Amino acid sequence: MEMAQIGAVLARIEAKDTPPEHLKKIVLSLDMAENFRAFGTLCGRECQVLKFHHDIEGADMFPRIEAVGGGMFREVVAKLLSEHEVVHELLIRLGQAAHALAEDPREANFVRAARIYRKLEEVVRSHFGYEETELAEAIGYYLGAI
């Protein structure tokens, strides 16, 4: 939900309907900013939860699905694990870009933050769609076996 809010503000800024300073205001008012103050990273608790989610998948769920599937999910799992690394790298880059933008709200810094955000959103949506499509039945089986 917060990613959608940031995306909407970015679109309004790009359309010249709102000044770039509004991005800083919305980012600082979001739960993500509260988490930054509490946990010391831009996305704070949400990033920790996402990392925990990915760690569980990588260390437990995906290996079990691979074993039960007799290797037929090997390529799917490899792709998903690879995408986990991409998501985490983009989160780090977005945090760095947001920090740079807050320090120096130049157009170039805004463009960089917007580009990284849009790539993150694209990757996350694609990742979840692929995971749900390719592993829906296996995940149901796995969860039923617990």
Side-chain angles (χ1 to χ4, degrees), residues 62-128:
F62 287 168
R64 286 182 187 225
I65 288 172
E66 266 190 287
V68 169
M72 70 184 213
F73 296 110
R74 186 171 293 121
E75 288 180 27
V76 172
V77 167
K79 176 181 167 86
L80 291 169
L81 290 172
S82 173
E83 288 176 355
H84 286 179
E85 292 177 25
V86 172
V87 167
H88 289 287
E89 178 61 29
L90 287 169
L91 286 169
I92 290 167
R93 289 182 189 178
L94 182 59
Q96 292 168 341
H99 179 73
L101 182 60
E103 294 291 315
D104 182 6
R106 285 184 293 134
E107 178 73 15
N109 287 338
F110 170 78
V111 168
R112 179 174 176 251
R115 187 181 72 246
I116 294 168
Y117 164 78
R118 288 202 174 89
K119 189 60 171 175
L120 174 62
E121 183 178 39
E122 173 189 329
V123 168
V124 167
R125 288 181 188 278
S126 172
H127 174 78
F128 286 136

